[in-house]
Amino acid sequence: KHVAQWRNTLKTHAMPKLGTLPVQAIDTGLVLAVLEPIWSTTTETATRLRGRIEKILDWAKVRGYRSGDNPAVWGGHLQNLLAAPKKIAKVEHHPALPYADIGRFMKALRAAPGDGARALELAILCGSRSGEVRGATWSEFDLDAMVWTIPAGRMKAEREHRVPLSGAAAALLATLPRSPDSDLLFPARTGAPLSDMTLTAAVRRLHAADLKAGGAGFFDPKQNKPVTVHGFRSTFRDWIGEQTSYPRNVAEMALAHAIGDKVEEAYARGELLEKRTALMNDWARFCEGKPPVLNVVQIPEQSKAAA
């Protein structure tokens, strides 16, 4: 799908103007001729197209097919000629389930059969992206240490990410069969990872079944749309911010987000694994409708008398 998107955007928008030219002849004016007609109408497509042209021209330079600066680069160049995407494009958030409804959703999810349902359950418990779960292999899991280590090559930020496993996540893993032909947790019949649509279909089935049973379904009330797989990361983040006292950096690290600017990131080298372990266990308990386990410090009787 990703390969097809690359080819289709280039074929539709770039090739009519650039396709017959040697790469050395492509300059800023030509790049703008490709981008400007769609920059304000289909901004997301235009920004992705710009990045793809930049990567192709970078490759061409390294291979010796062109020289000089890259006319498709954004920072310090096209940013001075085109409006910032955030100023002209409305940000569309993934529809997310209110955290108050996560217990009801998880109860329905755990009763649903199929690999898609189990993969979605693991994604929710770990606050992970769909692709991280669908591509997960058994060799990435240390069940003795209760840690899932996702290699940099499978992460959006291209940095290794360690996920502390809650008791619920470990219990789920213990129920999964292991294929003798694949190291994948969730191999498709072809041996490849499950498709993203498999998890999406699981969400849609639960939504439709709840409506059919007379329930309210699983909607994002702000957008009035059924929830999406990626939206559960927002559910997790909203719960942390509104229902817990975990610091922002713990929450952002749990979601594998960058923390602050480059300077702050350079100094924040710790993984906060112990705090994130407590967070993931509290989240798992909340998903089951249970209160979090609080670290209560007992005050000695003598201290109480003195107070």
Side-chain angles (χ1 to χ4, degrees):
K1 182 179 178 181
H2 186 61
V3 171
Q5 288 174 341
W6 260 73
R7 289 174 174 165
N8 289 339
T9 53
L10 292 167
K11 180 180 179 181
T12 302
H13 303 291
M15 297 305 285
K17 294 183 173 68
L18 309 180
T20 61
L21 299 173
V23 286
Q24 182 61 52
I26 298 174
D27 58 15
T28 301
L30 287 167
V31 173
L32 287 174
V34 171
L35 298 177
E36 284 182 324
I38 61 172
W39 193 256
S40 61
T41 54
T42 54
T43 309
E44 184 176 357
T45 297
T47 55
R48 291 179 179 178
L49 176 62
R50 183 210 62 76
R52 289 163 186 170
I53 295 172
E54 179 186 359
K55 290 180 185 298
I56 290 169
L57 296 182
D58 276 346
W59 179 88
K61 182 177 180 179
V62 171
R63 297 295 258 176
Y65 298 126
R66 65 171 282 125
S67 59
D69 294 335
N70 191 325
V73 72
W74 178 254
H77 186 57
L78 289 182
Q79 70 175 130
N80 298 310
L81 301 171
L82 296 168
K86 290 183 179 180
K87 292 184 178 180
I88 57 175
K90 181 181 178 182
V91 177
E92 292 289 342
H93 296 288
H94 295 275
L97 188 71
Y99 56 79
D101 293 334
I102 191 65
R104 184 169 67 92
F105 182 86
M106 290 296 280
K107 183 177 181 181
L109 177 61
R110 284 170 173 156
D115 285 351
R118 301 291 74 75
L120 178 60
E121 185 180 348
L122 185 62
I124 293 172
L125 288 172
C126 294
S128 301
R129 298 178 178 90
S130 168
E132 294 163 7
V133 171
R134 290 184 292 108
T137 62
W138 287 106
S139 56
E140 294 173 358
F141 289 83
D142 184 338
L143 297 180
D144 292 328
M146 295 285 281
V147 172
W148 171 23
T149 303
I150 310 175
R154 294 208 308 104
M155 293 299 300
K156 182 178 180 179
E158 299 183 346
R159 289 194 301 265
E160 181 182 276
H161 179 55
R162 294 210 296 166
V163 182
L165 296 173
S166 64
L172 170 61
L173 290 170
T175 68
L176 299 180
R178 297 203 183 196
S179 169
D181 304 318
S182 175
D183 192 35
L184 290 167
L185 266 67
F186 303 105
R189 291 179 181 177
T190 60
L194 288 179
S195 71
D196 189 42
M197 187 52 64
T198 307
L199 275 68
T200 298
V203 175
R204 290 176 178 174
R205 282 194 296 269
L206 291 175
H207 173 68
D210 194 68
L211 288 174
K212 187 176 181 179
F218 299 107
F219 280 98
D220 181 332
K222 294 180 180 178
Q223 300 188 48
N224 195 29
K225 293 180 180 178
V227 299
T228 62
V229 175
H230 195 82
F232 287 103
R233 283 168 54 84
S234 295
T235 303
F236 176 44
R237 184 64 181 87
D238 289 345
W239 169 78
I240 298 173
E242 298 181 22
Q243 295 292 307
T244 80
S245 58
Y246 287 100
R248 173 184 171 277
N249 60 337
V250 174
E252 294 302 300
M253 193 168 287
L255 290 165
H257 287 165
I259 302 175
D261 57 22
K262 293 295 183 182
V263 175
E264 183 178 358
E265 188 177 349
Y267 284 97
R269 298 180 182 179
E271 293 186 274
L272 305 176
L273 204 61
E274 186 174 344
K275 292 181 179 179
R276 289 197 290 123
T277 298
L279 169 64
M280 301 317 291
N281 277 300
D282 281 347
W283 169 240
R285 289 179 63 82
F286 183 79
C287 287
E288 295 174 7
K290 299 176 182 178
V293 177
L294 301 177
N295 293 321
V296 179
V297 178
Q298 297 293 335
I299 301 175
E301 292 297 324
Q302 188 175 3
S303 299
K304 287 182 181 179

